[in-house]
Amino acid sequence: MRFVWAVAAFVLAAVMIGAGIAQRTIFQGPDTDIVAIAVEEEAPYLLVDGEVLNELPGAQTLRAQGEGEIFAAYGRTADMQAWLVDTPYNMATLDGDGEITTEPVQPETPVESTDVAAGEAAEEVVARSPIGSDLWLDEYQQSDILIAPLQLPADMSVLVASDGTLPAPANVSVSWPIPNATPWAGPLIVGGGILMAVGVLLYILGIRHARRSRGPRRKGLPLPVTEPIDLSVDGVDKGVISSTPATRRSLTGGRRAFAVLPVVAVSALLFTGCSADAWPELGPTPTPTPSATVIEQEGQQAPAVTKPQAERILSRIAATVADADAAMDEQLAATRLDGAALAARATNYNLRAALPDHAAPAAILTKPLEIVLPQANDSWPRSVLAVVDDEETKTSSIMVLTQQDAWAPYKLSYTASLEASTTMPDLAPVYIGAVQPAPDSPFLVMAPEDVAAAYADIINKGEESEFYDMFEVEGDQLRVSIAADRQRRLDKFNETADGTGSMAFSSGPGKYGPFALATVESGAIVAVNINETDTVKPTNEGAVIKLPENATVKALAGAAESATGFLTTFTDQVFFYVPGQGSTDKIRLLGYSSDILDAKVIK
């Protein structure tokens, strides 16, 4: 009977192992579904719409093949189309039947011009490189064949190109993974291996039983009387009894057969060293963890950037500005700086050209990027507020980056150091963004366009200013440092010019307009530009103002003395938190930076 069960175990084990192997081989379907995108007409760009990418569920993989460098980038479809608005391209979309179709898109008709030359220039095809645009959420570049793993929603698209001039690769396809897990292949193969080991065990037990019971059974006969053995007799018939019976020897040989059991089991386990999809998932289904609810306003537009995109943009800005600082190249700096930030840098370059020992500006911090507050805006210009911590100095920098149009790079226009004890207001998450209040917004305790003038009035008049009670005094180090610096310079001036000259100080709004982004509490972070002006004049006829120790003013003004005096201007980039209308909170200083801007002889 043991042999019958052994054979049955062998047969069932073979069936189970064969079924498990078949699931992983001949019965297993393809693991990807690939769709080619046919391109009939050549164009420098191919835009693959998000509907095509989401034709099937799951992550997408874009493949493009051609000669030379191949470029691919993805972003919001509206941004991609805005970038391509003035150049021809092919667009792959889904038709009404769900089939992929590729149609050429021509540039929009330019505005008619009476200038013939301008009209001819407008009709020319615009060719620009897509590499390194700040508009892309991410980009890829490879030679001859490009493989880009993606997981994009329907409102995002992929741009495929070479260099913006040559035709885009025509051999493009999109693939999606097909679920083809075989959760019972592993258990079948392992179970078959175990069952085969059981069959081997039954077979060995059957052999053992047969050997013990082999030969005919007879009735017992009378045995002769046992006599003592004569050990002194020589020859082969000494009657020596073996100490190891034959049956014992046979059993010893039979034990070696049990080694088959672990060998079979181990072989089965090695054979089933499959991936995780060959086994059923027995663990509990993970329960999502609730997160804080953020209410997005109805009709709010998309955020300008993502955090990885902001990190990449900021790194590019820092690299370009570092090169400009080393070369003292204002034109290079202007490709990544604007507004008050560029003005301060340009003055520094002029001073360093005249005074080699003059300190270079501080490098732009890039990481860790702690705060990213993008403007929620589908059009242009669009801006981003960023806060970066400096791990070495234990300080933080707050910056404003702005992109003027779809083709322009982001430029840094405001930058300042945060106060050591600064507490930032509650800000919207990066995936929602913030709206930009109008310069004359009535929904704040003070309109952004009035903040610079009000704060400058406080610097000039102190507690006598009508705006003094609207600004928080505690923690405002800018007013303290300005007052101390003015007193120090006035005391030094009076040491030599008391009675023969005068020094006057004044503050006012700078030439660069305010920037604001809303906070969660209906307030806003507002960046403004304030100028501080020092005026030094002679009060006696024939007196002359000299600059024996002020090399900075001397270098900027281009003169060492003047009978009419000197006018020196400092520029401040200041960030405030302005509460919403109806709040009892005061306007609070967040951070600032001060740099010399200009010096000239009074005419």
Side-chain angles (χ1 to χ4, degrees):
M1 193 65 182
R2 292 182 178 87
F3 290 108
V4 175
W5 287 111
V7 172
F10 285 143
V11 173
L12 186 56
V15 172
M16 292 175 64
I17 294 175
I21 294 174
Q23 285 190 29
R24 299 294 296 175
T25 53
I26 59 176
F27 292 150
Q28 188 175 33
D31 56 359
T32 57
D33 193 341
I34 302 176
V35 175
I37 299 176
V39 179
E40 296 181 358
E41 298 185 14
E42 290 186 348
Y45 305 101
L46 170 64
L47 186 63
V48 183
D49 189 69
E51 292 184 350
V52 175
L53 299 173
N54 288 271
E55 182 183 11
L56 295 177
Q60 313 100 4
T61 300
L62 178 78
R63 288 176 173 81
Q65 189 170 358
E67 295 183 359
E69 293 294 322
I70 301 176
F71 173 86
Y74 66 83
R76 287 185 291 271
T77 302
D79 290 350
M80 294 285 190
Q81 292 174 333
W83 195 86
L84 294 167
V85 70
D86 58 351
T87 186
Y89 64 96
N90 290 315
M91 185 164 188
T93 58
L94 295 180
D95 59 14
D97 298 329
E99 299 294 332
I100 299 178
T101 60
T102 304
E103 297 180 355
V105 179
Q106 297 300 323
E108 292 185 2
T109 304
V111 179
E112 294 184 2
S113 174
T114 55
D115 188 344
V116 177
E120 292 177 353
E123 293 179 359
E124 294 180 0
V125 176
V126 177
R128 66 174 67 90
S129 174
I131 301 171
S133 172
D134 289 345
L135 197 61
W136 316 141
L137 299 182
D138 202 356
E139 63 183 52
Y140 307 87
Q141 190 174 8
Q142 297 174 6
S143 299
D144 299 332
I145 183 169
L146 182 143
I147 300 176
L150 307 170
Q151 195 164 5
L152 306 181
D155 61 347
M156 291 189 181
S157 299
V158 176
L159 181 69
V160 182
S162 54
D163 60 355
T165 303
L166 299 174
N171 188 359
V172 180
S173 65
V174 180
S175 62
W176 301 264
I178 299 177
N180 60 352
T182 55
W184 293 108
L188 283 173
I189 297 176
V190 172
I194 295 174
L195 196 57
M196 182 176 290
V198 172
V200 172
L201 177 61
L202 291 174
Y203 182 76
I204 293 172
L205 293 176
I207 294 176
R208 179 185 180 187
H209 179 73
R211 288 183 176 180
R212 282 185 173 182
S213 60
R214 69 173 179 266
R217 296 185 179 183
R218 299 185 179 91
K219 292 182 179 181
L221 296 176
L223 296 175
V225 179
T226 303
E227 296 181 357
I229 300 172
D230 187 1
L231 298 178
S232 62
V233 179
D234 296 330
V236 295
D237 296 330
K238 291 183 178 181
V240 178
I241 301 174
S242 173
S243 62
T244 306
T247 55
R248 180 74 62 181
R249 289 194 297 271
S250 64
L251 286 176
T252 303
R255 285 176 182 169
R256 289 195 295 269
F258 283 99
V260 178
L261 175 60
V263 172
V264 173
V266 171
S267 299
L269 291 174
L270 290 175
F271 192 81
T272 57
C274 308
S275 57
D277 60 358
W279 297 87
E281 295 183 4
L282 302 178
T285 302
T287 303
T289 303
S291 58
T293 302
V294 179
I295 300 176
E296 182 177 356
Q297 297 182 5
E298 184 178 356
Q300 182 166 321
Q301 301 178 43
V305 298
T306 63
K307 186 173 182 179
Q309 184 182 7
E311 291 175 342
R312 185 171 60 254
I313 291 171
L314 193 56
S315 296
R316 291 171 177 172
I317 291 175
T320 300
V321 173
D323 293 340
D325 290 347
M328 295 183 291
D329 188 341
E330 183 180 350
Q331 292 184 348
L332 179 59
T335 62
R336 283 299 189 175
L337 296 178
D338 198 9
L342 176 61
R345 224 80 177 187
T347 301
N348 180 272
Y349 296 164
N350 292 334
L351 285 173
R352 289 166 59 202
L355 306 172
D357 294 336
H358 191 79
I364 296 174
L365 302 179
T366 59
K367 56 185 178 181
L369 185 57
E370 293 296 329
I371 296 176
V372 177
L373 181 63
Q375 179 187 358
N377 187 11
D378 291 337
S379 59
W380 284 270
R382 53 177 62 166
S383 301
V384 182
L385 182 75
V387 175
V388 182
D389 288 345
D390 187 354
E391 297 178 347
E392 294 184 2
T393 62
K394 304 300 180 182
T395 59
S396 300
S397 292
I398 183 169
M399 293 169 277
V400 174
L401 316 176
T402 302
Q403 185 184 39
Q404 292 297 328
D405 55 52
W407 307 283
Y410 274 89
K411 295 183 179 182
L412 189 153
S413 55
Y414 279 104
T415 180
S417 296
L418 290 178
E419 294 277 69
S421 58
T422 298
T423 300
M424 294 292 291
D426 292 336
L427 304 175
V430 64
Y431 56 85
I432 291 181
V435 296
Q436 184 175 21
D440 59 350
S441 173
F443 302 107
L444 302 173
V445 295
M446 181 179 290
E449 64 183 7
D450 299 330
V451 173
Y455 192 76
D457 190 68
I458 295 175
I459 294 175
N460 293 329
K461 301 178 182 179
E463 297 183 10
E464 297 180 1
S465 172
E466 61 178 307
F467 307 106
Y468 184 83
D469 292 334
M470 298 184 68
F471 287 78
E472 183 67 54
V473 176
E474 184 178 356
D476 189 342
Q477 295 298 319
L478 178 57
R479 275 187 274 176
V480 175
S481 63
I482 290 176
D485 183 65
R486 287 181 174 181
Q487 188 62 48
R488 177 186 59 80
R489 284 184 289 150
L490 182 60
D491 292 342
K492 188 173 183 180
F493 178 80
N494 289 333
E495 290 178 358
T496 56
D498 187 20
T500 60
S502 66
M503 174 176 277
F505 304 98
S506 65
S507 298
K511 62 181 292 188
Y512 304 104
F515 171 83
L517 277 182
T519 64
V520 172
E521 307 95 337
S522 299
I525 293 179
V526 179
V528 298
N529 176 220
I530 297 173
N531 284 346
E532 303 172 48
T533 304
D534 301 352
T535 305
V536 180
K537 294 181 179 180
T539 56
N540 292 344
E541 186 177 354
V544 176
I545 301 296
K546 296 183 179 181
L547 304 171
E549 299 179 0
N550 199 331
T552 301
V553 175
K554 186 189 305 184
L556 292 176
E561 61 181 43
S562 171
T564 56
F566 292 92
L567 189 69
T568 306
T569 303
F570 297 86
T571 181
D572 300 329
Q573 302 173 59
V574 192
F575 285 76
F576 295 96
Y577 167 62
V578 181
Q581 191 64 261
S583 174
T584 58
D585 295 336
K586 295 183 178 182
I587 301 174
R588 179 162 49 91
L589 178 71
L590 298 178
Y592 65 91
S593 64
S594 296
D595 300 278
I596 189 169
L597 181 64
D598 191 20
K600 58 185 178 181
V601 176
I602 298 176
K603 296 182 180 180

Coordinates of all heavy atoms in Angstrom, one line a residue, residues 280-286:
P280 N 1.0 34.8 -3.4 CA -0.1 35.6 -3.0 C 0.2 36.6 -1.9 O 1.1 36.3 -1.1 CB -1.1 34.6 -2.5 CG -0.3 33.4 -2.1 CD 0.9 33.4 -3.0
E281 N -0.5 37.7 -1.9 CA -0.2 38.7 -0.8 C -1.2 38.4 0.4 O -2.4 38.5 0.3 CB -0.5 40.1 -1.3 CG 0.4 40.6 -2.4 CD 0.2 42.0 -2.9 OE1 -0.7 42.6 -2.3 OE2 0.8 42.4 -3.8
L282 N -0.6 38.0 1.4 CA -1.3 37.5 2.6 C -1.4 38.6 3.7 O -2.2 38.4 4.6 CB -0.7 36.3 3.2 CG -0.5 35.1 2.3 CD1 0.1 33.9 3.0 CD2 -1.9 34.6 1.7
G283 N -0.7 39.7 3.5 CA -0.7 40.8 4.5 C -2.0 41.6 4.4 O -2.7 41.5 3.4
P284 N -2.3 42.3 5.5 CA -3.5 43.2 5.5 C -3.4 44.3 4.5 O -2.3 44.8 4.2 CB -3.6 43.6 6.9 CG -2.2 43.6 7.4 CD -1.6 42.4 6.7
T285 N -4.5 44.8 4.0 CA -4.5 45.9 3.1 C -4.1 47.2 3.8 O -4.7 47.5 4.9 CB -5.9 46.1 2.4 OG1 -6.2 44.9 1.7 CG2 -5.9 47.3 1.4
P286 N -3.1 47.9 3.4 CA -2.7 49.1 4.1 C -3.8 50.2 4.2 O -4.5 50.4 3.2 CB -1.5 49.7 3.4 CG -1.6 49.1 2.0 CD -2.3 47.7 2.2

